Amino acid sequence: MVKNTEKASQIMAQVESEVDSNKEQIAKSFIHYLYNSLGREIDSKAHYLEHALVYTIRDRLMINWKKTEQRYAIKNLRKGYYLSMEFLIGRSLTNSLINLGLKDITLAALYDLGLNFEEIEEAEHDAGLGNGGLGRLAACFMDSCATLALPVMGYGLRYEYGMFRQHIKNGYQVEEPDQWLRHGYYPWGLMRREYTRVVKFGGRTVKSVHPDTGRLMVKWEDTCPVLAVPFDVPVPGFSNNVVNTLRLWSAAAVEAFNLNAFNAGSYASSVAEKNNAESITMVLYPNDASENGKELRLKQQYFLVSASLQDIVVQWAEKNNNDFTQFAENNTFQLNDTHPSLAIAELMRLLMDEYELEWQDAWEITSKTMAYTNHTLLPEALEKWHVSLFERLLPRLLEVIYEINKRFLNVIEQKWSDDISKQRELSIIDEDNMVRMAHLAIVGSYSVNGVAELHSQLLKESLFKTFYDLWPQKFNNKTNGVTQRRWLAVCNPELKQLLEDKIGGDWIVNLDELKKIEAFAEESAFCERWEKVRLANKKRLANYIKKETGVEFDPSALFDVQVKRIHEYKRQLLNILHVIHLYNRIKRGQTQHWTNRCVIIGGKAAPGYYMAKLIIKLINNVADRINHDLEVGDKLKVVFLPNYSVSAMEVICAGTDLSEQISTAGKEASGTGNMKFMMNGAITIGTLDGANVEILEEVGNENFFLFGLKTAEVSALRKHYNPEHFIQNNNDLKQVMDRLESGFFNEEEPNIFDSIIGSLKSPYDPWMTLADFADYLQAQQRAANTFQNKAGWIKMSIINCARSGRFSSDRTIRQYNDEIWKLSPVGIDKT
Ligand SMILES: *Cc1c(COP(=O)(O)O)cnc(C)c1O
């Protein structure tokens, strides 16, 4: 039989006309999926309504998705690939509706059915395939690439269990697995078995000489192969018909049953083997900004890199008759931190072992296609793997890395022939036989970027100084950004409406347009509406907090928020010391000109990070004591908000007055939470760290509560840091420490906070919390005083939002493209 493509196309055209986006058709599709596909009815659980709605919306991007894919398949179209171990996507429904321009009509269709969109929206489970900032950045970048119509594909892993759910029990964090695929599937993800790849582990290498050419041939044999099955997630651009792809790999056993073992009667062990393969993508490692020295983590990294590169290289080879001369002109890879930096060795392996390129040619291609983004200066986050682990797991990759290093060390020797210490310093393999992944990434990349001006400067001056001396042209900065589609349009519909009424809707693709609202910062009608919107958002946040914690917040109080991963360098401790100080003032009766304040702290601690978990316990104990003290009343409320996530942040950032960005200067690479808050009209209290520096540049001192030591001052003070000196010279601090040490917050739990007290008082405290206490208090007092002047605060809020244009990830991606990727935007016509 010959397949009747023509007839199929005719019918498809008909079907397509029915996938129209008018209200009746949307309702029809929705009912079709709910009743026919899911076998449910209109009064079934919100979860089923949500699935039916996702299918309805997915239909409406399927044709453009296919079109975009076909457009990208055209020969000689230069494409970019974003390789990341994490994509912290969150929910996708409202975002897709807004990008496709279908939100109003869909709400109307549901309304006619007597359905409440918000309940359906709430039923969507977050895709929490990331830890924090790094993973959320990847998700914002995907949105911006699609909106800028750039041919960029994301590659990641489809973890069976994403970021854990956080509960609080007796003040302590309890982790619960995130069963986001509980119902077996994720309705946005499309399984594409036809693109399954095989990833090899273990085994040994076998060398031979080609009988004709005399070329050294290497084979990687006796391996344990694992299947990589892709699930594609659509990424629609804003109103431009582009639908890019995020391809997430899932691990599967090569054969469900090992027949030999099965026949030998070892049914159990043959099934166990299957589990072993599938364990690779079982769980996301829940560590943020700290190293993960586990074997399974290295397996995950190689699995991502090998599956993704094969995907690209095999398709290239098929299309170009194994000719790779144009490969570097047509492909570029962005490595999100060192996690996927094995891509450098893997591309070398594929080109040499599978397609018989010579080393020089393969290296020429590899080092012209790879670009590396550094995300941290913290030494504990710099990845290293022992050579012996490579020998066992990835023997061929280790050989390639040795050869890369050998040739690299030759370059160093030529450049600094009289200085052997340079070789020792820069070598990819260190003296303890550890493979330094950052060194591999720098050596193999044509671009190395930091994620904020200050961070990129510090990379050049300290961590990678000698590399910078060697290759200054590789180093550049790309200050992070966040997408205003999610972090304004989706999460703050009231503000979106106000902005549209006042300056139109162009800001959604050109955030600099927000500058136009500054002209109205003194107009009383506009300011009144601004305040009303803010109050509505604060009420929404207060309701959320009530629901999650039982604590009631008065929306007229100052909402003071610090949400981010719990880490000592982010200094949640500094925040809680200030809270204790406020409590002391109330107890002393020093409440003249008081500003009522609600303090919200939220974030997950890595399960193995003892101090971070203890900080959560301290916050909860302090909150408990304060919230139950009748003398405090509305003056001060404190909560630890459990299970911080993308969907939580959508509610939080819209309802925040004061954004806490208080890391020790020089430690936060960029931060992106700071940008989300600013975009929604919160005012920052912060140190000169990461992108705070650039936020301050935009808004000026009068619209920012700046405090704290600068990076250079931190380094200078470190040599003779004496916390006792700060305690003795500041009565407020002394009383705070006395209160903490008295056991007031742990009466029934003696000594549990000793290690926190010890770290604060240690001359070796790397975060030097007490050194910034006095200045922080003053900045907090300025914030409290400023808040009393409603009109003044509103004006600052408007200015912060108005000047947030620089922090759109559209700006970031434009810079990646102009300066690193050099891709041409692609036009996709409307269907
Ligand atoms: C934005 C975001 C982060 C990053 O926050 P920082 O304050 O920059 O550390 C982490 N987690 C979630 C869920 C986010 O939305």
Side-chain angles (χ1 to χ4, degrees), residues 33-47:
Y33 282 115
L34 186 62
Y35 284 63
N36 285 351
S37 294
L38 300 175
R40 299 303 196 292
E41 287 170 23
I42 195 161
D43 54 1
S44 63
K45 282 213 167 79
H47 161 78

Side-chain angles (χ1 to χ4, degrees), residues 88 126 131-134 136-137 288 482 487 563-565 569-570 644-650 660-661 668 670-677:
L88 189 45
D126 275 37
N131 271 282
L134 174 148
R136 184 53 232 178
L137 185 77
D288 187 70
V482 300
W487 296 112
V563 286
K564 48 181 75 245
R565 288 304 289 258
Y569 86 80
K570 293 177 184 275
Y644 177 54
S645 59
V646 171
S647 53
M649 184 54 161
E650 290 173 16
E660 299 269 353
Q661 309 299 336
E668 185 75 89
S670 164
T672 49
N674 47 4
M675 301 168 184
K676 300 166 199 165
F677 284 117

Side-chain angles (χ1 to χ4, degrees), residues 75-88:
K75 230 178 147 167
N76 293 329
L77 177 79
R78 182 172 166 85
K79 280 178 288 186
Y81 303 96
Y82 198 78
L83 267 54
S84 178
M85 288 288 282
E86 304 187 11
F87 287 89
L88 189 45

Side-chain angles (χ1 to χ4, degrees), residues 180-348:
W180 74 298
L181 299 173
R182 187 170 37 223
H183 302 280
Y185 58 102
Y186 169 53
W188 294 105
L190 191 67
M191 194 209 275
R192 307 204 66 180
R193 260 189 202 290
E194 67 273 32
Y195 292 114
T196 297
R197 308 288 167 190
V198 180
V199 178
K200 300 193 273 191
F201 292 96
R204 60 197 174 92
T205 61
V206 179
K207 294 178 182 79
S208 62
V209 174
H210 193 283
D212 306 329
T213 62
R215 181 183 181 277
L216 177 71
M217 311 283 287
V218 184
K219 278 196 168 149
W220 185 5
E221 290 183 344
D222 299 332
T223 56
C224 303
V226 177
L227 296 185
V229 182
F231 287 72
D232 286 358
V233 179
V235 185
F238 180 82
S239 191
N240 64 358
N241 308 310
V242 170
V243 182
N244 278 347
T245 299
L246 169 59
R247 179 159 287 181
L248 301 176
W249 300 102
S250 182
V254 170
E255 297 156 287
F257 294 98
N258 177 329
L259 274 182
N260 288 332
F262 187 66
N263 293 337
S266 315
Y267 172 79
S269 71
S270 71
V271 175
E273 208 167 283
K274 171 178 146 75
N275 285 339
N276 200 27
E278 290 173 2
S279 72
I280 293 178
T281 51
M282 194 56 72
V283 61
L284 166 76
Y285 276 95
N287 296 359
D288 187 70
S290 79
E291 202 205 343
N292 261 299
K294 297 282 185 293
E295 174 171 336
L296 183 58
R297 169 75 176 186
L298 182 62
K299 276 188 168 179
Q300 291 184 336
Q301 295 185 347
Y302 182 65
F303 182 77
L304 165 66
V305 154
S306 182
S308 309
L309 281 174
Q310 287 183 56
D311 205 36
I312 295 152
V313 167
V314 170
Q315 291 184 61
W316 174 275
E318 282 168 3
K319 219 172 284 168
N320 295 275
N321 292 316
N322 292 354
D323 178 357
F324 282 86
T325 47
Q326 301 294 308
F327 186 84
E329 276 90 308
N330 286 289
N331 296 282
T332 184
F333 299 88
Q334 192 69 42
L335 310 178
N336 197 20
D337 212 318
T338 56
H339 315 154
S341 59
L342 277 176
I344 290 159
E346 176 67 358
L347 184 55
M348 290 297 289

